[in-house]
Amino acid sequence: MNLLDGLWGILDLLLVAVLLLLAMAAVLSSDRRRSMMLFIVFGLVLALVWARLHAPDIALAEAAIGAGLGGALLMATLRRDTHQQTDQFPQHPVVLWGAGVLVMVLGTMIAWGLFSVLPTVEQTWRKGAAVDAHLAFSGVSHPVTAVLLNFRAWDTLLELAVLLAAILGIRALGYVRSAYVTEAAFSQLAVWLVPLLILMAGYVLWAGAHSPGGAFQAGALLAGAGILLRLAGYSHAGLPTTRWLVRLGLVAGTGVFLLVGLGLLGWGQGFLHYPVAYAKWWILLIEMLATVSIGMTLTLAFMGGIPQKEAA
Amino acid sequence: MILDALSVLLLVLGLFFFVSGLLGLWRFPDTFARLHALTKADNLGLGLVMTGLLFQVPDVLWAIKFVLVWLLALVASAVNAHLIAVFLHRQQEGHDESA
């Protein structure tokens, strides 16, 4: 048993060391393409770290959104950027030293902040106990989902609103450019993977009620399917070609979340205070629509604008 | 006990192939050779690791999941290697590589 603990300890130290090295390499690399690759690997290692910390929900989200979709978005940005390799770093030593000192001061402040938070960790555990005590009234049996969609539903609503605001900004950039030219092998891979990704999204969404998973992870999987279709040459990436359907899909998550909250307020329940008997169904409805919205939002973010009007 | 021993044997064998692939990635002269080393050795290594884990599963569902993960990795790495190789090939032949 002690030997096993020791091995896990070595593995943890290795993970932390690799994480720090990858972070430094990603920031310090002067080649943007290389930085981006390192950032993706950094995200995958970070997902492993979250898994080691017994936080599988965050590990899933980090792997799917941080590494996968973040990487895809960075790659799409790099493809658009015509002046690659322009050296825009300030070369003047005064600027460099100033930046270095600033970063060190900020780093010290963050470390100090984290250190001062440490004594309150016990209180956080007590909050965890409170979540467990009220889990039976939340409508789901997975504590993370109970917090996200019930006890702290307000936070999740605002997160969805942030995504909505982001996609409104991206749509303001205008129409997207031509689809990618692709290889036959890749189109065939997309044909295989897209149905599988949709199936997995449905499973992850449903699993969120009792085990790690939920709307954000499921939405990320849907967006992965959309990005695959886009890369395989489908100019609409599987999104509806009717304009109002796209708009409805983008707004659905935030909109229905808000409507349910306001409806319950009108019912005399308080904002997003689900009645215990129906909590499960309200959460399921909101999560389903949120999944659709998140998937569409992230796919459109990858495309970088409004799809062309003409049919594919 | 025999099952455990089999698992350990297959896991070690799988790790050997992963390390070989890594060495190939590190030491081989050009991208084509590196791709070859990486995909061949990694697919076999992953297959061996998966087979080793198969002896530890609590029920059949787990086993099916493991095999599916391996198949997905096989398909993905084959297509990835193909895409990278085609891109490089075109670039070396002097075709337009901006696509």
Side-chain angles (χ1 to χ4, degrees):
Chain A
M1 202 56 211
N2 262 332
L3 176 72
L4 209 58
D5 282 349
L7 284 177
W8 278 120
I10 293 173
L11 184 70
D12 289 345
L13 281 180
L14 266 178
L15 273 176
V16 170
V18 168
L19 194 68
L20 284 176
L21 283 176
L22 279 171
M24 277 175 64
V27 172
L28 294 179
S29 170
S30 57
D31 180 5
R32 285 186 201 168
R33 204 173 285 265
R34 175 170 299 183
S35 303
M36 186 198 71
M37 301 278 182
L38 287 167
F39 176 77
I40 295 173
V41 181
F42 169 81
L44 290 174
V45 174
L46 188 57
L48 283 179
V49 169
W50 281 120
R52 278 295 295 146
L53 289 170
H54 303 287
D57 287 273
I58 311 179
L60 275 175
E62 176 59 39
I65 301 173
L69 279 161
L73 287 178
L74 286 174
M75 248 185 256
T77 313
L78 209 58
R79 181 176 179 260
R80 280 197 159 205
D81 187 8
T82 42
H83 349 259
Q84 281 174 28
Q85 294 303 329
T86 45
D87 204 359
Q88 288 168 344
F89 290 106
Q91 291 296 332
H92 199 273
V94 175
V95 178
L96 281 177
W97 277 99
V101 168
L102 195 66
V103 165
M104 272 171 70
V105 169
L106 278 176
T108 315
M109 279 166 71
I110 291 172
W112 179 70
L114 281 176
F115 193 71
S116 60
V117 161
L118 273 181
T120 64
V121 164
E122 205 182 330
Q123 285 179 1
T124 318
W125 278 337
R126 236 174 273 143
K127 274 183 198 138
V131 169
D132 282 338
H134 293 88
L135 198 56
F137 309 106
S138 70
V140 291
S141 60
H142 185 48
V144 175
T145 309
V147 171
L148 286 182
L149 267 305
N150 199 333
F151 305 145
R152 302 285 296 170
W154 181 236
D155 292 0
T156 310
L157 172 63
L158 288 181
E159 277 171 23
L160 286 172
V162 167
L163 268 185
L164 185 62
I167 200 61
L168 287 178
I170 289 170
R171 283 171 74 85
L173 293 175
Y175 290 105
V176 295
R177 297 195 313 178
S178 59
Y180 292 73
V181 183
T182 188
E183 293 288 324
F186 187 78
S187 319
Q188 200 56 39
L189 180 72
V191 168
W192 274 58
L193 280 184
V194 166
L196 200 62
L197 280 168
I198 294 171
L199 187 71
M200 273 164 71
Y203 170 74
V204 168
L205 173 65
W206 182 252
H210 55 81
S211 54
F216 276 89
Q217 289 92 337
L221 286 171
L222 279 187
I227 291 171
L228 264 180
L229 283 174
R230 171 80 181 154
L231 289 174
Y234 293 84
S235 62
H236 279 268
L239 295 172
T241 45
T242 337
R243 184 183 273 194
W244 65 267
L245 263 178
V246 176
R247 290 180 177 176
L248 200 66
L250 290 176
V251 176
T254 317
V256 170
F257 211 149
L258 203 58
L259 282 180
V260 167
L262 289 176
L264 289 170
L265 196 63
W267 204 263
Q269 294 278 349
F271 189 71
L272 287 172
H273 273 257
Y274 320 107
V276 174
Y278 298 104
K280 179 188 174 180
W281 301 106
W282 287 123
I283 289 177
L284 193 63
L285 175 77
I286 291 170
E287 283 218 290
M288 269 166 61
L289 292 166
T291 302
V292 172
S293 288
I294 292 166
M296 287 177 68
T297 301
L298 293 175
T299 307
L300 275 173
F302 175 76
M303 293 163 76
I306 307 170
Q308 301 283 1
K309 261 182 272 184
E310 68 264 9
Chain B
M1 207 52 210
I2 292 175
L3 288 185
D4 286 352
L6 260 177
S7 283
V8 170
L9 184 74
L10 285 167
L11 286 176
V12 170
L13 213 59
L15 284 183
F16 169 75
F17 278 99
F18 269 112
V19 173
S20 316
L22 197 65
L23 276 180
L25 180 70
W26 213 324
R27 304 282 304 170
F28 279 175
D30 64 359
T31 312
F32 291 114
R34 283 190 202 134
L35 269 181
H36 182 78
L38 200 62
T39 45
K40 280 264 160 67
D42 275 13
N43 286 341
L44 192 55
L46 187 62
L48 286 168
V49 168
M50 287 293 167
T51 320
L53 291 176
L54 278 186
F55 294 114
Q56 306 291 329
V57 292
D59 60 52
V60 183
L61 266 179
W62 278 77
I64 296 175
K65 281 183 200 165
F66 276 140
V67 173
L68 277 180
V69 166
W70 182 50
L71 285 178
L72 269 179
L74 274 185
V75 173
S77 80
V79 172
N80 264 329
H82 175 75
L83 289 180
I84 294 173
V86 164
F87 177 76
L88 262 178
H89 188 63
R90 276 209 202 116
Q91 215 173 26
Q92 285 179 2
E93 298 223 319
H95 287 295
D96 178 58
E97 78 274 15
S98 61

